[in-house]
Amino acid sequence: MLTSLPAMLYHPCYSELDLPAQHRYPITKYQALYQQLLSIGVPVSAFSLSTPISSQQLAQVHCPHYILSLQDGSILPKAMRRIGFPWSEQLFQRSLCSLGGTLQTAQAALKQGIALHLSGGYHHAFYNEGSGFCLFNDLVVAAKTLLTQEVDKILIIDLDVHQGDGSAAMLADEPRIISCSIHCEKNFPYYKQQSDWDVGVAKDCSDNDYLQTVLQSVQTLINWHQPDLVLYDAGVDIHQRDELGLLSISTAALYQRDLLVLQCCVDNAIPVAAVIGGGYQRNVDALVQLHLQLFKAAFTLCGSHFASKIET
């Protein structure tokens, strides 16, 4: 049953990470997104505070030795360079909180129909190593944790511009979690993994062709698998102004993409939990406007007047 607002999860620590000057990762976007939602009138009470998962919970999905190396700082410098962040205890704790937030978002979706996480989408993390700004894979951790509870089949729809290679590898032997990645073919990672459903989009793909690809893929996967839950990675790095994306998708098409994914889930009475995923612009205000398209789509489906306060 949809309520007037989707469930929303957030924690201030998402943007509380000391990074070197000019670091490529837009760490302030999480707080800026939260503040922008408050500025259009979304009440503070609409947000739940994420709580971290424990290292013990994490060890049910990721390699215990890898977890410990990140916890105590013994991880090799080469491994941290592959991740793309300098090591810190702050980074480790932030990651635990973000993973907990995605799990809570999925649990909230099961109760409310639509739930949104103001973080998440760390799909480049593998079982025993991180990559591409991802320490641990929140999507896989949430999915595998929920399989031990009331959920029998989960569909991960990953529409970040980069392939969800870590998710694909970690789920290769788990038929109850379906991995779908629609990404730019000629982009990171260079070596692709095999998802259950992969579509490599060409750099010159038009808005219409992209939306048709997404719609056909989502409808097909829902019809085939009839999942109990959808986890949706709504990365905005497909946008034409993204500095790492290589695609040319417009803001209007970004909104239509998010709306059609959520609509397909609602039409089929499937709970959907969305994470905001990637997006790389040095202009954080412009980047936040792109992430807001997911919230506009969810507000629209929930019948909330806040949808009209977000520009497309």
Side-chain angles (χ1 to χ4, degrees):
M1 176 69 70
L2 294 182
T3 57
S4 59
L5 279 175
M8 290 178 282
L9 277 291
Y10 172 71
H11 197 287
C13 75
Y14 294 161
S15 286
E16 294 172 355
L17 183 61
D18 296 326
L19 295 176
Q22 303 303 312
H23 191 279
R24 194 65 203 79
Y25 196 83
I27 196 66
T28 60
K29 73 175 185 178
Y30 306 102
Q31 182 182 25
L33 175 60
Y34 174 68
Q35 291 296 334
Q36 186 62 33
L37 287 166
L38 295 182
S39 75
I40 65 171
V42 178
V44 172
S45 59
F47 300 88
S48 297
L49 192 67
S50 304
T51 57
I53 66 168
S54 67
S55 296
Q56 291 75 21
Q57 285 177 292
L58 187 56
Q60 299 299 312
V61 180
H62 278 283
C63 173
H65 296 294
Y66 171 60
I67 297 169
L68 182 59
S69 74
L70 278 167
Q71 186 171 13
D72 64 12
S74 63
I75 187 169
L76 295 174
K78 180 180 179 181
M80 285 308 302
R81 285 195 296 272
R82 178 172 169 80
I83 290 172
F85 289 127
W87 180 87
S88 67
E89 183 179 354
Q90 183 186 42
L91 174 65
F92 179 75
Q93 295 300 329
R94 175 192 177 278
S95 297
L96 293 186
C97 194
S98 188
L99 265 71
T102 295
L103 175 58
Q104 289 172 265
T105 302
Q107 292 167 330
L110 292 171
K111 296 177 181 179
Q112 284 187 227
I114 299 177
L116 309 176
H117 188 197
L118 278 71
S119 182
Y122 301 112
H123 59 174
H124 296 310
F126 289 73
Y127 171 71
N128 61 355
E129 65 177 339
S131 174
F133 304 131
C134 305
L135 280 70
F136 305 111
N137 196 310
D138 62 309
L139 298 165
V140 174
V141 169
K144 287 197 170 186
T145 300
L146 287 174
L147 280 182
T148 66
Q149 301 173 8
E150 58 192 285
V151 179
D152 294 321
K153 183 167 280 191
I154 297 171
L155 169 62
I156 297 177
I157 299 172
D158 189 338
L159 302 187
D160 191 280
V161 80
H162 306 108
Q163 193 212 28
D165 55 340
S167 302
M170 291 182 72
L171 297 173
D173 297 322
E174 180 46 85
R176 296 172 296 172
I177 305 175
I178 311 303
S179 58
C180 160
S181 181
I182 302 175
H183 50 268
C184 179
E185 181 64 26
K186 301 298 183 182
N187 205 329
F188 178 88
Y190 182 79
Y191 295 106
K192 304 293 192 290
Q193 300 291 323
Q194 185 174 347
S195 309
D196 294 303
W197 182 280
D198 276 306
V199 179
V201 174
K203 291 182 181 180
D204 61 352
C205 182
S206 68
D207 282 359
N208 185 65
D209 286 346
Y210 177 79
L211 290 172
Q212 285 299 313
T213 296
V214 171
L215 179 61
Q216 292 168 7
S217 296
V218 172
Q219 288 180 334
T220 298
L221 289 166
I222 286 177
N223 289 336
W224 281 359
H225 297 288
Q226 296 294 305
D228 302 304
L229 173 69
V230 167
L231 299 182
Y232 172 39
D233 185 343
V236 301
D237 39 13
I238 64 167
H239 190 261
Q240 56 198 9
R241 292 196 181 128
D242 194 86
E243 293 161 20
L244 299 180
L246 304 182
L247 291 182
S248 299
I249 305 303
S250 69
T251 304
L254 190 64
Y255 167 69
Q256 290 298 327
R257 178 201 69 173
D258 292 342
L259 184 64
L260 75 84
V261 172
L262 299 183
Q263 185 76 65
C264 282
C265 294
V266 170
D267 288 348
N268 287 276
I270 300 170
V272 54
V275 299
I276 65 170
Y280 304 93
Q281 288 191 49
R282 298 189 190 277
N283 184 336
V284 172
D285 290 338
L287 178 58
V288 164
Q289 292 303 312
L290 304 182
H291 284 302
L292 280 171
Q293 301 309 307
L294 171 66
F295 293 81
K296 180 174 183 177
F299 293 160
T300 298
L301 291 176
C302 290
S304 169
H305 70 282
F306 293 120
S308 64
K309 298 187 178 183
I310 300 173
E311 295 181 4
T312 297

